Amino acid sequence: MIDFSAFLEALNIMATSAGSWGWIVPGLVVGLVFSAIPGVSITMAMAIVLPMSLYMDFFSAVVFLTSVYTGAGFGGSVPAILMNIPGSPASYATTFDGYAMSKKGQHNEALGYALFASTICGILGYVLLLFVVEPLANIVLRIGPLEMFAVAIWGMLLLGSLGSKYVTRGLLAAGLGVLLGTVGMNTAGFIRGTMGFPTLLDGISPIPAMIGLLAAGQLLTLAGKDYILDAEEARKVSVRKILAGCWGTMKYPGVLVRGSIIGIIIGAVPGVGSSVGNLIAYAETKRTAKDSASFGKGNPKGVIAAESAVASAEGGSMATMLALGIPGGGATAILLAAFMMHNIVPGPTFIETQKPMVYAIILNNIVQAIALLGVGIGFIYLASMVVKVRTRYILPAILVIATLGTYAVDGSPSGPITLFIFSLLGFLLVRYEYPVAAVVVGILLGRMLETEFLRSYQLSGGDPLYLFQRPGAMAIVGIMILSFAMTAWGKRKQARVEAEEELALQKLHEEEAVAGARKT
Amino acid sequence: MKDFTRRDALKMTGGTLLAAGTIGMPSIARAAYPDRPINIIVPFATGGYNDRLARAFAPHLEKAIGQPLVVVNKPGAGTQLGHTYALQQAADGYSILCTSASPYIPLTILLQKAPYKNEDFWMINLPSRDYTLAATSADSQVKDFAQVIDMLKKDPKSLSIGVQPASADYANMVLTMQTVGIDPANLRIVTYDGGGPARNATAGNQVDVGFVGGEGFIPLKTKVRPLAIYSADTVEWYPDAPLIGASGIKTDMVEGSQRGWAVSAKLKSEQPDIYKTLEDAISKASQDPTAVAALKKQDLSTTWFGPEASNKAFLDNAAKMAKYVDLLKS
């Protein structure tokens, strides 16, 4: 629970280090710009500014870096919504409904929904963190491989809700994705599918692969058009509409809370990060929604669900880093390095002895989330101008930037080569009507599925009854089954209602026909 | 110039560049070393131990050498990419390595058939040493290492063991088990693809005993109980960890990590003057009291062992790893 004297001291730190507040806006802008470039990840944006932060005092450095982190959490959704190309894996689920909204000319609203969901859930995540930073960290340590495997399966179930014309092709594509995701050295030290390339020992780089798969089809589609949006009157950038989207977010508190909880918990688990949370939050929101048929066709709830999970994952990830000194993902690993470079080692001792500082960091993140609202609207306004530009200018620019971005991921040509190969694969998949999304999800989750399954097998010595020794895993599986059963039940009820309506309608028609016959 | 085409423009630009290149080159070659910034190649991503060491040490080394230093991160393939990259650079003293020479150089050679030899590298100084630590969660029922061995002797499946395959830790674990007469094939071994995940699993009681590099446990000290550390002498940064020798088990062991500064062996043999300048600068900076104080605050080592001792330690450990290569292959 919250320690009040430490909390007051934290407010004092915030007040006395007013100079560091000046770093919030530059940090947010850096984060937004970098993560909006397809191929540049949050981790990269932070790695680039890390050396810069060494010349600041500790609190300023933390403020600056966490601001970049906060900005980057949202920036990825901008290209996802406007062009159907996610800036990073974390904003993949945002494309499903975000881009569909753009196609309907609702890009302003979609960005507004995303921004506000991001802000609210960012704040929600940190407020919760203020209360549970210590217990959460201890729970996280208890999450074992079997629980993680259940979570990965849950993510894979998203595929069912994405839907495609052919079930067999969907399964085949998902299988291919999982296989591609397991290329490289696995957790037991076995090397598979590297074809002798040392670069592939770490697996296929997910960011260039994902962008290649998604961008190839998308760019070709766009190349056939003059503008991203067909209707001329839709090509408008309107702050009023963005704000309307922001306001509209408030109508879905349930979606926000569910997304946040999923985001915080998954974000807190070391080594998972936000690329799974957004998929699960999206799938769950879609499954439980009454209007689930309109998901993927521009339902704002889809955007909100995905973005809320991404934004709150940041808080969860920070909790693990502060309380245990364990980075939840690439971005917090860099943050951890920044702490250490300022001679501060996060972990149980840090949180006990330096509670005011921990609170000050959390409070500052809440301030950042609020500031993101203002900076974000400005950024969206500028970024949306892309809809007014002819595609013949945009496409080459995207292609060049994405190639450079994937080159920058680890400064070697392996990034652009991956991008090129997966562009070809993406083109073929689209051409033969295989769902590209299934391959992407497979690549994102394949490694986690295999690793956690293998570890569960090793831990249990091959005994399937091991599941019953792990209440956490049982709970996750239980919730999963329950959620499915409820959906099935709801669907059946809905189907019955629809059938009744149809019957009534049919009767009406018959009666009308009879009445009509009588007239003549 | 009516027919001035794009191709002509290209030719002209190319020509100009070429000319600029040839005029510029001799002057670079003749100037005294170092006359431009030097790259520190770190074969790991930003934020790891070597990266932190490189960045923290850089300002002090800059002062000693008189040129700015640029940290270049080249992560991937268990350091193979970064080490290959370092050897591909011209042997002119403008690229130096800050790396975990052991275990990664021998490991990539033995297990990934990396295209270099241990002798292609020359260690200038390896100040940081890490050792395998057998540990358990603080709330585990396991109290000491003798108990671990007793339980495993009775039933090899009674405890699960978390370890990174193909690591010095794995070799140490297997050597211990063989010494006490337990067949490692019967153990419940859970594999982790890195020290971090293995430590988290140990601290969270996911596995009963973890065999991992000890240094990373320092921030988590309150969450774990050290059982045995694979070092001959008390370890400075973890004095309360019992030595493996104290458990009464006499086992051969491999040193966990040897981290620090290296260059390509080619630089030393072909450019002895440049090499000497570099060695002197690193030696001077390592012993500079302000550097020692600054690095100590970040738990980074600067101890000056010198090239002779460092190369011997590195090659000895590499030979031991080669001897136990079958254990590494799991």
Side-chain angles (χ1 to χ4, degrees):
Chain A
M1 277 295 112
I2 202 157
D3 177 344
F4 273 102
S5 68
F7 187 76
L8 291 177
E9 260 184 82
L11 290 178
N12 195 28
I13 295 180
M14 296 271 288
T16 51
S17 55
S20 54
W21 290 54
W23 290 108
I24 294 181
V25 173
L28 289 173
V29 172
V30 170
L32 284 167
V33 171
F34 272 94
S35 63
I37 300 172
V40 178
S41 63
I42 301 175
T43 315
M44 251 207 67
M46 291 185 66
I48 290 170
V49 295
L50 174 69
M52 223 191 304
S53 72
L54 295 183
Y55 300 99
M56 306 173 187
D57 62 72
F58 172 67
F59 196 64
S60 302
V62 171
V63 168
F64 183 53
L65 284 169
T66 50
S67 299
V68 173
Y69 190 17
T70 307
F74 169 68
S77 63
V78 174
I81 289 172
L82 291 175
M83 293 180 296
N84 203 16
I85 301 171
S88 71
S91 42
Y92 180 43
T94 311
T95 60
F96 303 154
D97 277 294
Y99 184 63
M101 284 185 79
S102 284
K103 275 203 292 198
K104 291 200 280 186
Q106 299 172 343
H107 51 280
N108 290 304
E109 288 89 342
L111 288 165
Y113 281 122
L115 176 64
F116 215 60
S118 215
T119 314
I120 294 183
C121 294
I123 297 172
L124 209 65
Y126 278 107
V127 169
L128 209 65
L129 190 59
L130 213 47
F131 291 96
V132 298
V133 62
E134 280 180 278
L136 180 67
N138 285 323
I139 293 168
V140 160
L141 270 186
R142 305 279 156 192
I143 297 178
L146 194 60
E147 288 81 23
M148 296 302 300
F149 179 65
V151 167
I153 292 274
W154 203 335
M156 284 304 281
L157 289 176
L158 164 74
L159 294 174
S161 70
L162 283 181
S164 79
K165 226 157 74 191
Y166 312 98
V167 176
T168 42
R169 290 185 196 193
L171 290 173
L172 212 59
L176 175 69
V178 171
L179 270 183
L180 289 172
T182 53
V183 163
M185 192 188 277
N186 79 347
T187 181
F190 294 98
I191 299 171
R192 294 91 34 102
T194 61
M195 296 172 283
F197 295 113
T199 338
L200 285 178
L201 282 172
D202 303 325
I204 293 169
S205 228
I207 294 177
M210 181 187 77
I211 293 185
L213 282 171
L214 297 172
Q218 182 56 21
L219 293 181
L220 284 174
T221 318
L222 285 181
K225 296 183 185 177
D226 231 4
Y227 289 92
I228 294 179
L229 301 176
D230 295 322
E232 205 182 329
E233 65 274 15
R235 281 176 229 140
K236 266 193 237 138
V237 181
S238 142
V239 176
R240 204 177 52 79
K241 284 187 178 171
I242 296 174
L243 288 175
C246 287
W247 187 243
T249 312
M250 303 299 283
K251 285 188 232 153
Y252 307 105
V255 178
L256 288 170
V257 170
R258 181 174 31 228
S260 297
I261 293 173
I262 293 175
I264 291 174
I265 295 175
I266 294 184
V269 177
V272 183
S274 48
S275 53
V276 187
N278 70 79
L279 297 177
I280 295 183
Y282 180 86
E284 277 310 293
T285 306
K286 181 182 174 186
R287 196 167 18 246
T288 47
K290 287 200 186 74
D291 49 353
S292 64
S294 67
F295 274 71
K297 295 182 188 124
N299 190 327
K301 281 193 259 178
V303 179
I304 297 171
E307 280 303 308
S308 59
V310 178
S312 52
E314 191 193 316
S317 205
M318 283 282 280
T320 320
M321 202 237 8
L322 289 171
L324 297 171
I326 295 169
T332 32
I334 295 195
L335 216 49
L336 188 67
F339 272 68
M340 303 244 230
M341 283 166 179
H342 283 94
N343 309 328
I344 288 175
V345 183
T349 346
F350 173 64
I351 217 163
E352 261 163 47
T353 55
Q354 301 257 28
K355 212 165 227 172
M357 183 54 95
V358 174
Y359 282 163
I361 292 169
I362 296 174
L363 285 174
N364 196 283
N365 271 286
I366 296 175
V367 175
Q368 286 165 20
I370 297 166
L372 174 67
L373 197 59
V375 179
I377 289 178
F379 181 73
I380 294 176
Y381 185 78
L382 290 176
S384 301
M385 296 296 179
V386 78
V387 298
K388 296 189 173 186
V389 185
R390 280 173 176 268
T391 50
R392 71 173 70 148
Y393 301 118
I394 303 175
L395 296 189
I398 297 178
L399 215 57
V400 170
I401 292 174
T403 312
L404 288 178
T406 52
Y407 177 79
V409 167
D410 47 25
S412 81
S414 68
I417 293 172
T418 312
L419 181 75
F420 179 69
I421 293 173
F422 278 82
S423 307
L424 288 181
L425 181 64
F427 174 72
L428 290 176
L429 288 168
V430 173
R431 168 80 179 70
Y432 294 101
E433 291 186 59
Y434 282 82
V436 174
V439 183
V440 175
V441 174
I443 290 177
L444 292 179
L445 295 179
R447 182 156 288 253
M448 178 172 160
L449 271 174
E450 189 217 358
T451 305
E452 303 299 346
F453 182 71
L454 183 63
R455 281 183 200 150
S456 308
Y457 172 78
Q458 291 169 332
L459 252 181
S460 63
D463 181 8
L465 293 177
Y466 174 68
L467 175 66
F468 297 104
Q469 293 170 27
R470 304 290 308 188
M474 268 160 68
I476 295 174
V477 173
I479 294 173
M480 205 153 68
I481 293 172
L482 197 73
S483 143
F484 267 87
M486 275 168 69
T487 321
W489 175 255
K491 284 249 170 75
R492 228 183 92 191
K493 227 164 73 179
Q494 207 180 338
R496 201 183 296 153
V497 171
E498 274 170 15
E500 272 169 16
E501 271 173 10
E502 203 147 297
L503 211 69
L505 217 65
Q506 216 175 342
K507 242 183 205 167
L508 209 72
H509 280 304
E510 273 168 18
E511 275 167 17
E512 271 174 7
V514 171
R518 268 190 206 148
K519 259 184 195 169
T520 50
Chain B
M1 290 272 288
K2 216 166 56 186
D3 303 329
F4 187 78
T5 60
R6 251 192 273 191
R7 186 164 298 181
D8 289 326
L10 209 65
K11 274 184 202 158
M12 281 175 67
T13 334
T16 322
L17 283 176
L18 206 68
T22 37
I23 295 162
M25 252 159 55
S27 61
I28 289 172
R30 270 188 221 122
Y33 175 84
D35 68 337
R36 57 188 165 99
I38 298 171
N39 287 337
I40 304 180
I41 299 164
V42 176
F44 298 90
T46 326
Y49 185 96
N50 289 283
D51 182 65
R52 288 200 294 124
L53 176 64
R55 288 179 200 274
F57 193 64
H60 307 284
L61 186 56
E62 271 172 9
K63 221 167 44 186
I65 208 160
Q67 280 291 336
L69 297 164
V70 184
V71 177
V72 182
N73 298 87
K74 288 274 168 198
T79 72
Q80 186 181 325
L81 299 182
H83 283 131
T84 312
Y85 175 83
L87 290 179
Q88 281 165 352
Q89 304 310 302
D92 55 6
Y94 289 100
S95 18
I96 52 180
L97 264 165
C98 181
T99 180
S100 295
S102 218
Y104 288 103
I105 294 175
L107 267 184
T108 46
I109 296 171
L110 294 169
L111 301 178
Q112 294 172 198
K113 301 193 184 70
Y116 43 72
K117 302 188 297 289
N118 292 319
E119 291 76 14
D120 289 342
F121 298 89
W122 178 261
M123 304 300 138
I124 295 181
N125 190 34
L126 297 175
S128 156
R129 308 290 166 94
D130 193 5
Y131 308 92
T132 303
L133 176 70
T136 175
S137 170
D139 49 1
S140 160
Q141 83 274 20
V142 178
K143 300 294 176 218
D144 56 30
F145 201 66
Q147 190 189 346
V148 172
I149 299 301
D150 279 347
M151 284 175 78
L152 289 177
K153 266 186 183 161
K154 277 193 202 105
D155 176 10
K157 298 229 183 290
S158 57
L159 295 171
S160 57
I161 291 171
V163 66
Q164 185 182 356
S167 68
D169 309 321
Y170 191 88
N172 283 328
M173 189 271 293
V174 172
L175 284 171
T176 309
M177 295 305 160
Q178 287 177 341
T179 314
V180 296
I182 298 169
D183 182 0
N186 294 332
L187 293 169
R188 256 198 304 149
I189 293 171
V190 186
T191 49
Y192 288 89
D193 36 4
R199 275 180 213 108
N200 300 347
T202 309
N205 215 356
Q206 300 300 329
V207 290
D208 294 312
V209 187
F211 285 77
V212 209
E215 207 169 11
F217 270 122
I218 293 176
L220 285 169
K221 245 180 181 174
T222 54
K223 304 253 173 218
V224 295
R225 178 179 303 130
L227 299 175
I229 195 158
Y230 284 75
S231 162
D233 310 295
T234 306
V235 178
E236 188 192 349
W237 39 261
Y238 211 148
D240 39 347
L243 299 179
I244 181 74
S247 68
I249 299 165
K250 283 208 169 43
T251 167
D252 197 5
M253 55 192 160
V254 182
E255 211 164 290
S257 292
Q258 300 168 330
R259 293 175 286 220
W261 305 89
V263 290
S264 68
K266 216 162 111 195
L267 175 73
K268 187 180 175 276
S269 58
E270 289 178 7
Q271 304 273 11
D273 298 338
I274 291 179
Y275 169 75
K276 191 80 190 109
T277 316
L278 250 179
E279 188 197 307
D280 290 346
I282 291 178
S283 161
K284 197 175 146 203
S286 300
Q287 295 167 74
D288 173 4
T290 53
V292 173
L295 269 72
K296 199 175 163 55
K297 270 201 205 148
Q298 292 194 37
D299 286 323
L300 298 167
S301 316
T302 48
T303 325
W304 174 255
F305 293 109
E308 214 165 293
S310 295
N311 277 296
K312 187 176 179 310
F314 168 66
L315 290 174
D316 283 356
N317 207 45
K320 223 181 244 181
M321 288 174 77
K323 182 177 158 198
Y324 295 123
V325 62
D326 293 334
L327 302 186
L328 293 171
K329 275 180 181 156
S330 67

